[in-house]
Amino acid sequence: RKEVEQDPGPFNVPEGATVAFNCTYSNSASQSFFWYRQDCRKEPKLLMSVYSSGNEDGRFTAQLNRASQYISLLIRDSKLSDSATYLCVVTVYSSASKIIFGSGTRLSIRP
Amino acid sequence: NAGVTQTPKFRILKIGQSMTLQCTQDMNHNYMYWYRQDPGMGLKLIYYSVGAGITDKGEVPNGYNVSRSTTEDFPLRLELAAPSQTSVYFCASSTTGVGNQPQHFGDGTRLSIL
């Protein structure tokens, strides 16, 4: 089983729709969680951190469920410019810190 | 604002050749990282550095070497290129601890081994 798993998609939704996707992680020692956005053939860019209490940034909401070991990203009122791949990132702090990227979920917003 | 700069952007190597991927950052970040990203996959950490003179292995270090003689530069060396090393390589840096965010990424180096 992969340490971090994401539905690869693609999610194809109309502009204005609400879309959500999850990311599951297997290591209960995971301590930091993030969502990155990666456009085609570009570098990843931090979208938002994910806090235990959940956090919101404009149209984006991230949540963490430690009991079930998943994080989620909700995008409301989706825009064409939201089309990208969304990468889940988990950091495990132990004797050797590990940064684990998910394979990403592709999102395509259609007019 | 230069940020993280990687060179070259593209390179084709023959099996067995060697090369160095350059990475430099002008943000005075202590932490730097090298990742590889295979098609349709997430990024895998090759090596990282917590400061000048200190480097450590990531998840997939075999076939690579790094050095960190200055805060700004973190080159990645491939000694004997193999087809399995065909990938996109990203360098990144961050202000604080390993895994803390945000990581600032360079544009990437697309490397093909033929």
Side-chain angles (χ1 to χ4, degrees):
Chain A
R1 182 186 173 189
K2 291 183 181 178
E3 291 187 90
V4 173
E5 291 202 70
Q6 294 184 250
D7 183 339
F11 284 65
N12 190 325
V13 302
E15 197 173 6
T18 295
V19 60
F21 23 85
N22 289 343
C23 166
T24 59
Y25 59 94
S26 61
N27 191 329
S28 58
S30 301
Q31 293 179 315
S32 299
F33 308 89
F34 311 90
W35 284 104
Y36 271 73
R37 170 196 169 122
Q38 186 174 25
D39 294 305
C40 187
R41 299 181 69 81
K42 296 286 190 179
E43 74 277 18
K45 293 184 179 178
L46 180 67
L47 179 65
M48 59 196 305
S49 302
V50 186
Y51 304 120
S52 297
S53 55
N55 48 299
E56 188 174 307
D57 183 2
R59 298 182 292 108
F60 298 84
T61 300
Q63 293 197 312
L64 166 64
N65 186 316
R66 284 192 183 273
S68 300
Q69 296 188 192
Y70 73 86
I71 65 172
S72 63
L73 179 66
L74 178 78
I75 306 174
R76 292 180 299 277
D77 188 24
S78 54
K79 312 291 184 190
L80 296 176
S81 57
D82 294 333
S83 296
T85 296
Y86 291 84
L87 304 171
C88 165
V89 181
V90 173
T91 301
V92 180
Y93 297 104
S94 61
S95 57
S97 298
K98 292 174 65 174
I99 307 168
I100 308 163
F101 279 74
S103 301
T105 297
R106 280 180 53 205
L107 175 64
S108 179
I109 309 298
R110 63 179 187 270
Chain B
N1 293 337
V4 178
T5 302
Q6 291 182 235
T7 57
K9 294 196 184 307
F10 306 93
R11 185 73 184 268
I12 298 174
L13 283 182
K14 293 182 179 178
I15 295 172
Q17 286 186 319
S18 62
M19 78 163 293
T20 299
L21 282 66
Q22 302 290 346
C23 175
T24 187
Q25 52 94 7
D26 62 358
M27 297 174 283
N28 203 32
H29 287 171
N30 283 327
Y31 296 81
M32 296 187 74
Y33 316 82
W34 272 108
Y35 295 91
R36 62 176 286 173
Q37 185 176 32
D38 297 329
M41 304 294 288
L43 281 69
K44 292 189 182 299
L45 184 64
I46 305 171
Y47 271 96
Y48 67 96
S49 169
V50 302
I54 307 169
T55 62
D56 221 332
K57 294 179 181 179
E59 184 182 357
V60 290
N62 292 343
Y64 306 94
N65 280 300
V66 294
S67 59
R68 185 92 182 275
S69 57
T70 66
T71 299
E72 293 77 21
D73 300 309
F74 190 40
L76 177 72
R77 178 93 179 150
L78 281 71
E79 290 294 349
L80 287 171
S84 61
Q85 293 178 305
T86 294
S87 191
V88 179
Y89 291 83
F90 288 104
C91 177
S93 70
S94 65
T95 53
T96 55
V98 176
N100 281 359
Q101 311 296 323
Q103 292 188 38
H104 300 265
F105 284 83
D107 293 342
T109 295
R110 284 166 176 75
L111 181 63
S112 294
I113 316 296
L114 303 176

